[in-house]
Amino acid sequence: MSGGPYNYSYIFKYIIIGDMGVGKSCLLHQFTEKKFMADCPHTIGVEFGTRIIDVCGQKIKLQIWDTAGQERFRAVTRSYYRGAAGALMVYDITRRSTYNHLSSWLTDTRNLTNPSTVIFLIGNKCDLEAQRDVTYEEASKFAEENGLMFVEASAKTGDNVEEAFLETAKKIYQSIQDGRLDLNAAESGVQHKPSTPGRNNLSSDNQGSKDNCSC
Amino acid sequence: MLSINQDIFEIIQAKFSSSEVVRCIHLNVSLFTELSNEEYRILALVTKKSNSALFLFFCKKPNPIHLSDLFIETVIPIDENFECFSDTILGEDKYLLFIVKYRNFILEFRIKTGLESSNFASEIIKCKERSLYENCDHRWLFKYSDVKSPLDCTENKSQSPDIPFVRQNMAQNQNAINRESMLKYQLKLKEPEFTQYQEFTIFTGTWNVNGQLPSISLKPWLSCDTEPPDLYAVGFQEIDLSKEAFLFNDTPREAEWEKMVLEGVHPNAKYRTVALTRLVGIQLIVLINIKHYQHIKNVAVDTVGTGLLGKMGNKGGVAVRLDLHNTSLCFVNSHLAAHVEEFERRNQDYKDINARINFRRHPTAIKDHDQIYWLGDLNYRITELTTSQVKTLLLRNEMATLLKADQLNQQKERGNVLLDYNELDITFPPTYKYDLNSDTFDTSEKARPPAWTDRILYRGKGIYQQKYRSHMELRISDHKPVSALFKSEISVINQAKYRKVHEELLKRMDKLENEFLPQVTVDQTEIKFDLVRFREPQFRDIIIANTGQVPAEFEFIKKLDEQSYCKEWLRITPYCGTVNPGEKCDIRLEVNLETDLVELDDILVLHLNGGKDMFIIVTGKGQRSSFTTSMRALCRMSKPIMTLDDEQYRKIIALDGEVLYSVPRELWLLVDHLYTHGLTVKDLFESNSTQDSFIRLRDWLDFGSTEPISVSVETVAETLLIFLSYTKEPVIPSNLQNVAIAASSNYHNCKNIINEKLPDIHRNVFLYICMFLQELLRHSSENGYDAKTLASLFGEILLRDPIRNSKPQASRGKSNFIYNFLVNDLSTSIIPIK
């Protein structure tokens, strides 16, 4: 009951990156609206979405930046990596080229974010099994070698979409709990929301003491 | 007074975390500058470990009763920068001026002189002294300031706070509260979707025990039903009539009666005390069948005295509130004023109890509960009938007549008391007044008429009273205990359904929030300019339309590592602004090419404050022009630049090919025209020709023509200046400019630079221009030019700064340099033009 049903304790910044047409905006839309956006136009810019989720009993507000995937915008979208707590790196399992470019996306992410940024690899369009061009095993190996979290998902059916966003948040939250992510550090991508007046601080303190959550 | 202070103290402490301790508070503080008495403030001294700070609270009410009545207005850290002192206020001896200073920040308060203020001041001074020996760390205060994230705090920390933190984000927080309450409201509306009613048996009992010791089992009263109830609410009155109980509100009987109740409850279930509250002799115990214990939340108690002086506890009410599953319950046990004629006093007591019970820990009023059970010795009597009449009517079982004469029924009917409360018809004999240890009505001298003083009423939905009875066999008091059994519908949350509804609502609110993000559309995100020609601006308008629900503040923002929000050949007007919902804004993009750029390419970032960013791609092709081509290339062109085919052009630009001219053909054409037609024209270089005529001349040069120049001689003169201003390299190359300026006082040195350092074509151009200017000076009587004027005009151009728009530097040096070549004879001393 503490804190009420709408308050949130943290804000996490996410970015979604990857080649053009891999379904970044559709993943965001599926996550925020629970709908598949057919005929989604190419993102010319950076879309912005938000949703409040629950991690270990903590309300966390996700601020998600969905970037344009076109190569010509690459130099511009690099501005948006800074201060991301989570990076969702997306490829299309039916187009090998989008997979082949991952290492370049990864290089950008590593160079432009901080070491505690959680990078989550998503193989999108897993509903199109017949057209598969990249095997699960291959991508899984790539993820493992690079220390990334990984799922195959479908923005169309919604499979694993929720999981990818939530697992990323859990990992970030864990980092905060372990003290690996320094909230005071610039560009941690996490903000602590000050409590609102009218809210009983004592009860939120109680919450703090039972932090050993199971995730 | 002391108890009010204590309550407020607790409320203020609740504003802080447990490690932040409120040491003392000062009520009724007003800002000295404020004339109005409508505003209430409280000062609180708070410490965390060895650090202290003074908090100024703004209160909505003179005596706050809830957390939300208080806002932190200002936070002042107590450290070496902190000072406080007091002063007298002229013409006032009851109040004094209390001044708090933190560096340049000063607050002046008006406070009452007295123990409270002197204690408070001395506590502050203690903290201040301690701060001098400790390392002050004010980071814990950041969360109370209007800094929104700890990221900002780190900056603050390094500077150390300059002024105390004044809270400005109240409105923002208000917003969060509104959202919160909106969600609560929505959840309430949707309650039927995730709750179902479950019947609970509630046993309520009341007994005025007349100060008697708890010496008998309560089983005949509390366990008289076959099935064990789910909840008990048992009220007593007069458990202790001693002076000590009255004066100190302390009695051993409390625990004794509780024990008797716990022993007397139904044997077929286990019970646990939820709450026990007592005011002098008025005691209320609420027990719950342990299987329901975990579903009880937000338990709070309160007591109100209405006895002597209107506030002593010999009469009054005590109450327990709780949430059982999703239904809020309130139990009130009251002992109202005695004596037959005092019914109005009883009505008043009832009103006072309602008004004053507020369950400070969980602020609610009695009336706010879903279900209310009101029990107690309400003390209403039977009027207009003598004792013997009452007894006779009772014997004849003429209950209706008797109940009509019952004051409570009469007062209730008139709406004076317990409005909207229900009571099952009374079928039991009056419960007062009996001879002790008997079932005989009062046989004393007074022979009071029997009365139904002990009553249980209820208010709320889904309450079904099953039984209403007295228990004759409990004889120790002059009252008989009464009990009422209810089947009450309790709203139980189906957790799975609740989660679903809650999640959906959250999602809807997220969606709402996303919808309330600023949204605009731009009518085109790819702007293609036609062939862009030298100094011939073109523009395109784009339309930003606000398609969202909130005003959109837009701004074109810089990309990472770039100097400006757009390239130097582009201008955006306006580059920032606000568009209201449903409205549009035209943005003009203007290109003006002044370089030899062939591929124009820029990505603009249109940023919405608090929302998304849009990219706008701007492309175009620059047309080649002699004005932006290097002089060395121009000297290799046998014909106008636009008449070259691509291959020829590419070769020449790469300086592949023979040098055909000593100066560019275009330069010669311009100078030659001025030589022929302009030497005697007054203020030759000072007219502003039209854009159109410049373009005609530019095209005449770039495309070539058999026609003679058709523009005015002034246009030709201005075009010459433009030509020299945009040559790919300044005539005196950038790397030689400082040397040239340094040498400007010595003609010989200047000459050496021109002769030895300048590339051939540059030297030719330089001397060609100087010779033309000397020719111009020969006609100075007609054209009005002198050497100094021309030197300064051409110095700026021939030694132009490499970066356009940067501040012109050392223009005196530049003009001095040129001056040398305008007043000395060039023909003898300079290597002739090749």
Side-chain angles (χ1 to χ4, degrees):
Chain A
M1 269 304 184
S2 84
Y6 199 84
N7 286 344
Y8 47 90
S9 348
Y10 294 98
I11 303 174
F12 291 176
K13 177 183 166 178
Y14 280 17
I15 48 164
I16 313 181
I17 48 169
D19 274 12
M20 179 169 78
V22 297
K24 296 182 293 298
S25 299
C26 290
L27 285 167
L28 173 61
H29 197 77
Q30 177 63 255
F31 179 66
T32 56
E33 311 270 321
K34 285 266 181 288
K35 266 186 227 143
F36 177 61
M37 195 168 34
D39 306 322
C40 168
H42 288 311
T43 305
I44 312 280
V46 178
E47 292 287 334
F48 180 77
T50 153
R51 193 179 134 184
I52 292 175
I53 56 162
D54 192 293
V55 173
C56 308
Q58 291 278 347
K59 293 272 183 301
I60 289 165
K61 181 171 180 159
L62 298 184
Q63 271 184 358
I64 308 152
W65 297 86
D66 162 34
T67 62
Q70 288 179 52
E71 183 60 32
R72 67 198 304 192
F73 295 133
R74 194 73 179 268
V76 186
T77 49
R78 286 198 179 104
S79 321
Y80 294 86
Y81 287 61
R82 187 182 293 175
L88 306 184
M89 195 164 75
V90 188
Y91 70 97
D92 175 353
I93 66 152
T94 70
R95 280 192 296 148
R96 174 156 284 277
S97 63
T98 66
Y99 173 80
N100 292 342
H101 291 152
L102 286 177
S103 54
S104 126
W105 288 108
L106 187 59
T107 309
D108 271 5
T109 312
R110 290 261 152 83
N111 288 343
L112 297 162
T113 61
N114 61 56
S116 56
T117 300
V118 173
I119 308 174
F120 202 110
L121 180 64
I122 302 176
N124 193 26
K125 309 196 188 176
C126 71
D127 52 299
L128 303 175
E129 189 55 49
Q131 297 160 48
R132 179 184 283 278
D133 206 8
V134 182
T135 64
Y136 179 87
E137 290 69 27
E138 184 182 358
S140 179
K141 190 160 163 270
F142 174 83
E144 200 178 313
E145 282 166 3
N146 290 286
L148 314 177
M149 300 169 86
F150 170 60
V151 288
E152 283 191 350
S154 166
K156 190 170 181 181
T157 63
D159 276 356
N160 277 339
V161 173
E162 194 84 357
E163 287 76 357
F165 283 84
L166 297 189
E167 287 301 317
T168 307
K170 272 190 197 169
K171 190 83 183 284
I172 297 167
Y173 185 70
Q174 262 177 18
S175 299
I176 297 171
Q177 297 302 301
D178 305 349
R180 262 180 291 139
L181 197 150
D182 181 6
L183 289 185
N184 290 314
E187 299 172 10
S188 67
V190 175
Q191 293 183 18
H192 209 124
K193 235 333 219 93
S195 60
T196 51
R199 171 176 166 194
N200 193 333
N201 275 331
L202 293 173
S203 63
S204 62
D205 263 16
N206 293 343
Q207 274 260 320
S209 62
K210 45 179 174 183
D211 267 338
N212 33 5
C213 72
S214 54
C215 66
Chain B
M1 194 62 200
L2 201 68
S3 76
I4 292 175
N5 269 4
Q6 187 57 34
D7 289 345
I8 296 175
F9 192 92
E10 279 169 22
I11 294 167
I12 291 177
Q13 178 64 67
K15 278 255 171 196
F16 296 92
S17 75
S18 50
S19 60
E20 296 159 8
V21 181
V22 179
R23 286 176 69 105
C24 58
I25 61 171
H26 196 296
L27 302 180
N28 304 320
V29 174
S30 57
L31 287 180
F32 189 62
T33 47
E34 221 127 81
L35 295 171
S36 130
N37 290 325
E38 297 298 302
E39 298 201 332
Y40 310 98
R41 286 187 170 78
I42 295 175
L43 276 172
L45 178 63
V46 182
T47 54
K48 180 175 175 138
K49 292 186 188 149
S50 59
N51 295 290
S52 314
L54 197 58
F55 283 73
L56 178 64
F57 285 93
F58 178 82
C59 335
K60 291 203 269 190
K61 303 172 183 166
N63 289 318
I65 54 162
H66 181 43
L67 279 172
S68 61
D69 296 337
L70 289 168
F71 293 104
I72 297 173
E73 199 172 36
T74 308
V75 182
I76 307 157
I78 298 181
D79 57 23
E80 75 272 13
N81 298 305
F82 177 94
E83 289 172 80
C84 75
F85 30 90
S86 59
D87 204 348
T88 52
I89 302 175
L90 211 63
E92 284 210 61
D93 48 0
K94 283 193 180 143
Y95 288 91
L96 59 83
L97 185 64
F98 183 64
I99 303 156
V100 171
K101 245 183 104 176
Y102 192 92
R103 297 203 178 142
N104 299 325
F105 184 89
I106 298 177
L107 277 177
E108 293 177 321
F109 303 103
R110 186 171 173 272
I111 59 174
K112 214 170 184 164
T113 9
L115 202 61
E116 190 185 11
S117 58
S118 58
N119 283 344
F120 191 71
S122 72
E123 283 291 329
I124 291 178
I125 289 161
K126 268 187 234 165
C127 289
K128 156 91 181 165
E129 279 167 3
R130 196 157 57 138
S131 76
L132 301 178
Y133 304 103
E134 306 272 358
N135 280 332
C136 288
D137 181 359
H138 293 309
R139 268 176 300 182
W140 65 286
L141 297 175
F142 287 141
K143 63 175 182 282
Y144 299 109
S145 69
D146 71 287
V147 281
K148 265 175 253 140
S149 77
L151 308 185
D152 302 328
C153 298
T154 50
E155 290 166 18
N156 268 346
K157 191 173 62 181
S158 57
Q159 301 161 1
S160 95
D162 206 30
I163 55 157
F165 319 117
V166 178
R167 192 147 193 154
Q168 286 163 337
N169 58 338
M170 235 181 249
Q172 203 178 344
N173 282 334
Q174 209 63 48
N175 197 14
I177 292 171
N178 289 344
R179 262 199 189 122
E180 167 99 343
S181 53
M182 179 164 164
L183 187 67
K184 267 189 191 150
Y185 171 73
Q186 295 280 349
L187 273 175
K188 194 85 192 160
L189 289 183
K190 292 203 171 260
E191 222 167 69
E193 289 180 28
F194 58 82
T195 58
Q196 62 217 38
Y197 286 108
Q198 199 176 310
E199 207 165 67
F200 277 66
T201 320
I202 294 179
F203 181 104
T204 56
T206 176
W207 191 15
N208 183 323
V209 294
N210 189 228
Q212 306 297 328
L213 291 171
S215 55
I216 50 159
S217 164
L218 303 182
K219 272 203 160 49
W221 175 33
L222 303 179
S223 310
C224 60
D225 300 301
T226 44
E227 291 298 318
D230 295 298
L231 185 146
Y232 276 103
V234 183
F236 295 100
Q237 302 83 34
E238 299 189 356
I239 62 165
D240 194 335
L241 294 170
S242 70
K243 245 187 210 128
E244 290 76 13
F246 176 61
L247 289 176
F248 305 113
N249 193 19
D250 185 29
T251 170
R253 302 285 173 79
E254 178 182 301
E256 291 165 28
W257 279 110
E258 185 193 8
K259 185 163 166 273
M260 291 309 286
V261 169
L262 285 167
E263 285 170 7
V265 293
H266 208 287
N268 295 352
K270 282 211 162 66
Y271 294 91
R272 188 161 167 186
T273 307
V274 173
L276 186 156
T277 180
R278 186 180 56 79
L279 177 70
V280 188
I282 312 166
Q283 176 164 335
L284 177 62
I285 305 171
V286 175
L287 309 174
I288 187 85
N289 186 327
I290 52 166
K291 68 179 179 189
H292 302 304
Y293 188 77
Q294 55 168 321
H295 301 298
I296 285 189
K297 275 182 287 234
N298 302 323
V299 180
V301 301
D302 203 358
T303 65
V304 161
T306 60
L308 289 175
L309 305 170
K311 56 182 177 181
M312 297 306 279
N314 56 328
K315 291 289 184 302
V318 300
V320 171
R321 64 94 46 218
L322 56 93
D323 293 326
L324 175 56
H325 286 281
N326 196 36
T327 299
S328 60
L329 305 180
C330 182
F331 299 95
V332 186
N333 173 20
S334 66
H335 190 188
L336 307 183
H339 308 300
V340 181
E341 65 284 1
E342 291 283 6
F343 62 88
E344 281 179 340
R345 176 76 234 168
R346 291 190 269 282
N347 294 349
Q348 188 57 45
D349 286 353
Y350 163 80
K351 287 187 185 116
D352 287 350
I353 292 167
N354 265 305
R356 286 162 52 195
I357 290 232
N358 59 28
F359 301 109
R360 280 149 294 183
R361 283 268 156 261
H362 189 91
T364 35
I366 292 172
K367 65 172 172 48
D368 296 335
H369 293 84
D370 297 327
Q371 298 186 355
I372 309 164
Y373 300 87
W374 194 298
L375 49 98
D377 179 357
L378 309 187
N379 250 329
Y380 288 92
R381 311 297 169 95
I382 290 169
T383 46
E384 297 142 20
L385 293 172
T386 63
T387 306
S388 61
Q389 282 175 314
V390 172
K391 284 182 180 168
T392 316
L393 286 167
L394 275 172
L395 279 176
R396 288 200 217 131
N397 206 14
E398 289 193 30
M399 294 294 274
T401 319
L402 283 165
L403 287 170
K404 237 183 219 160
D406 174 68
Q407 281 177 333
L408 179 59
N409 290 346
Q410 291 172 352
Q411 290 303 311
K412 207 169 137 5
E413 205 157 284
R414 288 182 198 149
N416 292 338
V417 73
L418 288 160
L419 197 68
D420 299 331
Y421 281 79
N422 297 305
E423 186 183 26
L424 207 63
D425 287 342
I426 293 177
T427 54
F428 51 87
T431 51
Y432 179 76
K433 176 181 186 175
Y434 290 89
D435 289 342
L436 296 187
N437 302 310
S438 80
D439 294 338
T440 323
F441 285 118
D442 187 16
T443 54
S444 71
E445 253 173 62
K446 284 186 186 167
R448 294 176 210 258
W452 284 289
T453 50
D454 308 282
R455 308 286 275 266
I456 297 172
L457 296 91
Y458 63 93
R459 191 181 122 170
K461 261 194 250 166
I463 306 175
Y464 304 98
Q465 189 170 356
Q466 305 294 304
K467 290 188 175 144
Y468 196 22
R469 64 233 156 156
S470 66
H471 301 268
M472 298 301 281
E473 55 273 58
L474 274 70
R475 298 190 172 90
I476 56 171
S477 166
D478 57 351
H479 286 255
K480 297 291 179 189
V482 169
S483 72
L485 191 71
F486 299 93
K487 294 260 184 231
S488 300
E489 287 177 347
I490 300 297
S491 154
V492 176
I493 291 176
N494 178 322
Q495 284 302 335
K497 283 184 187 165
Y498 171 81
R499 264 198 298 277
K500 213 176 143 221
V501 170
H502 182 237
E503 197 175 291
E504 242 150 51
L505 276 175
L506 268 186
K507 218 175 286 166
R508 247 180 56 195
M509 301 201 53
D510 282 343
K511 201 175 160 222
L512 218 62
E513 193 173 339
N514 284 323
E515 279 169 6
F516 273 90
L517 290 173
Q519 286 294 349
V520 302
T521 56
V522 175
D523 66 330
Q524 41 189 330
T525 53
E526 274 209 69
I527 317 291
K528 271 209 180 87
F529 282 96
D530 302 333
L531 218 46
V532 183
R533 299 182 176 93
F534 176 71
R535 274 176 71 103
E536 187 178 345
Q538 290 182 36
F539 61 84
R540 292 276 188 287
D541 286 339
I542 57 171
I543 303 163
I544 298 181
N546 187 339
T547 53
Q549 320 202 15
V550 291
E553 287 175 40
F554 70 87
E555 183 182 355
F556 286 91
I557 56 167
K558 274 196 284 191
K559 296 171 284 272
L560 206 63
D561 307 324
E562 289 202 8
Q563 303 282 338
S564 170
Y565 54 86
C566 66
K567 296 269 168 63
E568 74 286 346
W569 42 266
L570 188 64
R571 229 174 70 196
I572 307 174
T573 37
Y575 80 96
C576 66
T578 304
V579 192
N580 286 327
E583 292 181 1
K584 293 178 177 178
C585 175
D586 284 353
I587 306 285
R588 172 155 294 190
L589 305 182
E590 185 177 319
V591 279
N592 184 19
L593 189 62
E594 297 184 332
T595 61
D596 61 343
L597 201 63
V598 180
E599 298 292 338
L600 304 179
D601 193 2
D602 198 3
I603 298 173
L604 308 176
V605 182
L606 175 60
H607 171 71
L608 300 183
N609 195 359
K612 64 176 180 180
D613 290 2
M614 277 166 293
F615 298 161
I616 295 169
I617 302 161
V618 183
T619 53
K621 281 255 183 276
Q623 191 183 70
R624 61 175 97 131
S625 167
S626 54
F627 286 76
T628 53
T629 305
S630 82
M631 292 186 288
R632 286 191 288 171
L634 289 175
C635 290
R636 288 172 163 85
M637 286 178 195
S638 58
K639 48 185 185 174
I641 190 166
M642 292 306 292
T643 62
L644 298 171
D645 63 38
D646 285 349
E647 179 59 20
Q648 288 170 322
Y649 177 71
R650 197 191 49 75
K651 271 182 138 175
I652 288 171
I653 289 300
L655 301 184
D656 181 0
E658 210 182 322
V659 175
L660 303 172
Y661 303 109
S662 52
V663 297
R665 205 179 56 93
E666 294 76 8
L667 185 65
W668 180 82
L669 286 166
L670 293 170
V671 172
D672 187 58
H673 185 85
L674 293 175
Y675 201 85
T676 327
H677 301 100
L679 292 179
T680 58
V681 175
K682 190 151 172 55
D683 298 337
L684 182 65
F685 294 107
E686 272 147 56
S687 76
N688 267 324
S689 52
T690 61
Q691 172 73 4
D692 188 52
S693 53
F694 164 73
I695 287 167
R696 276 220 307 280
L697 183 53
R698 183 198 66 196
D699 288 350
W700 187 84
L701 290 168
D702 284 351
F703 288 88
S705 172
T706 49
E707 304 285 314
I709 288 179
S710 63
V711 298
S712 71
V713 68
E714 287 89 351
T715 300
V716 178
E718 190 182 354
T719 304
L720 173 66
L721 297 182
I722 293 172
F723 186 91
L724 293 170
S725 304
Y726 288 95
T727 50
K728 204 164 161 59
E729 261 272 276
V731 177
I732 307 290
S734 321
N735 60 336
L736 292 178
Q737 290 187 4
N738 284 339
V739 193
I741 289 164
S744 63
S745 56
N746 182 318
Y747 176 53
H748 181 73
N749 292 348
C750 292
K751 230 169 34 179
N752 274 349
I753 292 170
I754 298 299
N755 279 338
E756 285 158 30
K757 303 257 170 72
L758 232 53
D760 286 352
I761 287 165
H762 284 248
R763 186 176 62 239
N764 295 346
V765 168
F766 182 78
L767 293 174
Y768 184 58
I769 296 296
C770 291
M771 272 152 49
F772 165 67
L773 293 179
Q774 288 202 357
E775 194 56 37
L776 207 56
L777 288 171
R778 280 180 206 119
H779 297 82
S780 60
S781 55
E782 286 128 303
N783 58 37
Y785 280 110
D786 57 41
K788 287 235 159 86
T789 311
L790 288 179
S792 112
L793 177 62
F794 280 82
E796 223 36 80
I797 291 171
L798 298 178
L799 287 90
R800 72 161 200 263
D801 290 319
I803 303 159
R804 205 167 294 283
N805 300 330
S806 65
K807 256 194 199 156
Q809 278 178 346
S811 59
R812 182 177 299 239
K814 290 176 184 176
S815 79
N816 286 348
F817 182 80
I818 301 294
Y819 185 78
N820 289 313
F821 297 93
L822 301 188
V823 295
N824 288 299
D825 182 8
L826 302 178
S827 56
T828 56
S829 55
I830 298 273
I831 301 166
I833 293 169
K834 284 177 192 163

